[in-house]
Amino acid sequence: MTDQKTPPDSNDKASDSPVTTRRGIRSFVLRQGRMTEGQKKAFDRLWSQYGLTREDGMIDPRQVFGRDAVLNLEIGFGMGKSLAEMAEAAPEQDFIGVEVHLPGVGSLLKDVDERGLENVRVYNIDVNDVIDLCLPDACLDQVMIFFPDPWPKKKHHKRRLVQSEFVQRIRHKLRVGGILHLATDWENYAEHMMEVMVEAEGFANTQEDGGYSPRPDTRPITKFEKRGERLGHGVWDLLFYRTN
């Protein structure tokens, strides 16, 4: 994880140990891996144009993007394919992505360049810092968390990203009526997410029956998801909106 203008040594070894931050145990481990030559070139060339850092402080999205538009935040965008597809499909909207793993950031920047996108910006820091230090209250129209690490072992459930306290901090960054969109392919995590969201102050389910949502057309289907569907694996989407 870094917010430098140049990437750290790509030979840094990954660590599966839980990493602590000022808010306690993070919900991810740093499996940094090695950037491909294409990802590194994209990062080196494009980060100054599309990258946002902790040192930028509290941003004004209108200044960042040069316009007043619907603003989406994707937390943990992986290799960035879905984020790039969503941004290309909705050029009238703006998108901020957060990802701690440099190969994913490089991959997204390469995709952004190839697609000629101007409506994407990227953070390469812990999402807790983005929420607490970088985003004004009520600035977001939608927050998306797609397929976060499920931490399937019961003793690791405390590391799951979707927890009551985290959801409330997200709530304050959403405008009233703004959407929190969660998706997972782990049924146990889906049940956990639903429990958290049903009890979450200031949120209501977009589904009148109080259940899971059909996948919106705006959420691209990943190759991993398509493979899972062929194998009979389920995917659960939850869409809740901020009520107050």
Side-chain angles (χ1 to χ4, degrees):
M1 183 188 71
T2 180
D3 57 357
Q4 303 174 62
K5 291 297 180 182
T6 56
D9 185 354
S10 60
N11 293 320
D12 288 349
K13 292 182 179 180
S15 171
D16 287 342
S17 300
V19 185
T20 57
T21 182
R22 59 193 174 85
R23 283 192 172 270
I25 297 177
R26 285 179 180 157
S27 63
F28 58 88
V29 292
L30 288 175
R31 301 185 183 93
Q32 200 64 273
R34 185 180 295 274
M35 298 177 79
T36 67
E37 189 62 28
Q39 291 166 355
K40 188 176 186 304
K41 286 181 178 178
F43 188 100
D44 291 344
R45 185 165 57 88
L46 300 170
W47 178 255
S48 61
Q49 180 178 352
Y50 295 101
L52 298 171
T53 71
R54 186 187 297 106
E55 284 68 31
D56 292 330
M58 199 69 70
I59 66 169
D60 180 345
R62 293 169 297 183
Q63 291 183 354
V64 169
F65 291 97
R67 62 179 181 177
D68 188 5
V70 170
L71 183 59
N72 304 276
L73 175 72
E74 183 174 3
I75 297 171
F77 57 73
M79 300 308 287
K81 292 298 182 184
S82 293
L83 180 54
E85 288 182 26
M86 290 187 292
E88 185 175 39
E92 76 284 359
Q93 300 182 23
D94 293 326
F95 295 80
I96 295 175
V98 182
E99 178 56 59
V100 296
H101 298 104
L102 275 173
V105 175
S107 176
L108 174 62
L109 292 176
K110 186 173 182 290
D111 218 356
V112 163
D113 187 45
E114 292 173 350
R115 296 172 188 258
L117 305 178
E118 298 294 335
N119 57 338
V120 175
R121 297 295 184 273
V122 186
Y123 280 104
N124 179 219
I125 56 176
D126 181 10
V127 67
N128 288 298
D129 289 345
V130 175
I131 293 170
D132 294 343
L133 305 175
C134 304
L135 295 178
D137 287 348
C139 71
L140 299 172
D141 293 274
Q142 181 174 215
V143 175
M144 299 167 287
I145 307 176
F146 299 154
F147 306 102
D149 192 326
W151 292 103
K153 293 182 180 179
K154 189 172 183 180
K155 66 180 181 180
H156 291 156
H157 285 184
K158 64 182 179 182
R159 297 183 193 168
R160 287 176 168 176
L161 183 62
V162 180
Q163 306 284 358
S164 298
E165 186 268 349
F166 183 77
V167 164
Q168 285 306 313
R169 287 163 55 223
I170 288 291
R171 170 191 166 208
H172 292 297
K173 302 305 171 180
L174 282 167
R175 65 170 177 79
V176 174
I179 296 291
L180 175 56
H181 182 181
L182 310 173
T184 182
D185 58 345
W186 284 76
E187 186 172 10
N188 176 263
Y189 200 3
E191 293 169 350
H192 168 84
M193 289 176 171
M194 184 62 77
E195 290 175 2
V196 169
M197 294 308 304
V198 166
E199 296 176 0
E201 178 184 354
F203 279 101
N205 198 332
T206 60
Q207 299 301 298
E208 293 184 0
D209 63 2
Y212 298 102
S213 300
R215 180 187 64 84
D217 292 338
T218 53
R219 181 175 73 75
I221 302 177
T222 65
K223 291 181 180 179
F224 175 81
E225 187 176 353
K226 288 179 181 177
R227 184 169 65 249
E229 287 181 344
R230 289 196 299 270
L231 296 173
H233 298 168
V235 173
W236 293 266
D237 285 83
L238 297 80
L239 277 78
F240 281 71
Y241 65 94
R242 180 181 175 180
T243 59
N244 60 62

